[in-house]
Amino acid sequence: MTSSAAPTESPGRQPEPGLRADAERNRDRILAAARRLYAIEGLGVSMASVAREAGVGKATLSRRFATREALINAVFADRMDAHTSAVAEALADPDPWHGFTGYIHTICAMQAADRGFADVLTMTFPAAKALETRRAEAYQASVQLIARAKATGKLRDDFTDQDLVILLMANAGVIAATGDAAPDTWRRLVGHLLRSYSTPGTDIPPPPEAPAPTALYRAMVRLTRTGPCTPS
């Protein structure tokens, strides 16, 4: 005798195509929302804020990305690829000093364009395996970049890869503090730092002009109102 009841879904059965498409749309909406919020506010944005921005429930967000690290890993995969490519391009430059300074400007500009990425470069996420793998690749390449620049005699012998991390931390801090009140302040910081890293007699352009006092004042007022942003 044949039963007319609908078959129950077995544990290994694949979801219906419509369900898969809906899940993919939710994932795309979550990623787009996280990119927008992280770029503007940094990694201090809560998972609840991402869910609201995406127009999904917290449970839906948790199904797609069980942890904050998983979301960050997915959001910044392309940025980390671009970072790795920037170091590789700098290493390929026939002028090691030009490659070094070009890389510094490129990576700091990437930080300025995306506050979340600025944070990513100065934090570690052990659970985000793919992101950390790309970070390790970029780090190893940057060590070679530093060694090549030193060999030209234009980069100070006492410059280390730790100084590169300090530079990125300083740049992230200036970007977070100035925001849209004085958005190009980071360029002056980087210009001064590159001059301090170079040996006497090295031909290096002067830093851009300092921001107007009124712009810095607006940045200080903004920072007073918002306070330092810490990840949650």
Side-chain angles (χ1 to χ4, degrees), residues 14 19 41 47 54 79 116 124 130 153 164 167 180 191 218:
Q14 295 297 315
L19 294 178
E41 303 179 30
M47 295 287 276
R79 311 304 201 280
T124 59
L164 180 57
L167 181 155
D180 57 4
R218 287 196 301 271

Side-chain angles (χ1 to χ4, degrees), residues 114-156:
D114 188 327
R115 273 195 60 191
F117 184 66
D119 291 341
V120 164
L121 288 184
T122 58
M123 301 169 68
T124 59
F125 305 92
K129 301 299 184 184
L131 186 150
E132 290 301 322
T133 296
R134 299 303 271 167
R135 185 201 304 279
E137 292 173 358
Y139 165 75
Q140 292 300 330
S142 69
V143 170
Q144 298 177 48
L145 190 64
I146 292 168
R148 292 177 75 242
K150 283 184 178 180
T152 67
K154 296 180 179 180
L155 179 63
R156 290 171 52 135

Side-chain angles (χ1 to χ4, degrees), residues 34-45 68 71-87 103-125 130-132 134-136 138-139 164-165 167-173 175-176 186 231:
R35 286 191 182 102
R36 287 193 299 270
L37 292 177
Y38 287 154
I40 297 169
E41 303 179 30
L43 297 187
V45 174
R68 173 172 169 267
L71 179 59
I72 289 171
N73 190 71
V75 168
F76 292 102
D78 59 340
R79 311 304 201 280
M80 292 305 289
D81 286 344
H83 180 198
T84 304
S85 296
V87 186
Y103 165 72
I104 296 296
H105 282 295
T106 296
I107 199 64
C108 288
M110 290 173 66
Q111 284 186 299
D114 188 327
R115 273 195 60 191
F117 184 66
D119 291 341
V120 164
L121 288 184
T122 58
M123 301 169 68
T124 59
F125 305 92
L131 186 150
E132 290 301 322
R134 299 303 271 167
R135 185 201 304 279
Y139 165 75
L164 180 57
V165 176
L167 181 155
L168 296 176
M169 286 180 170
N171 195 49
I175 290 164
W186 68 271

Side-chain angles (χ1 to χ4, degrees), residues 195-218:
R195 288 169 69 84
S196 72
Y197 300 153
S198 62
T199 56
T202 299
D203 184 18
I204 188 167
E209 291 186 4
T214 52
L216 279 182
Y217 180 76
R218 287 196 301 271

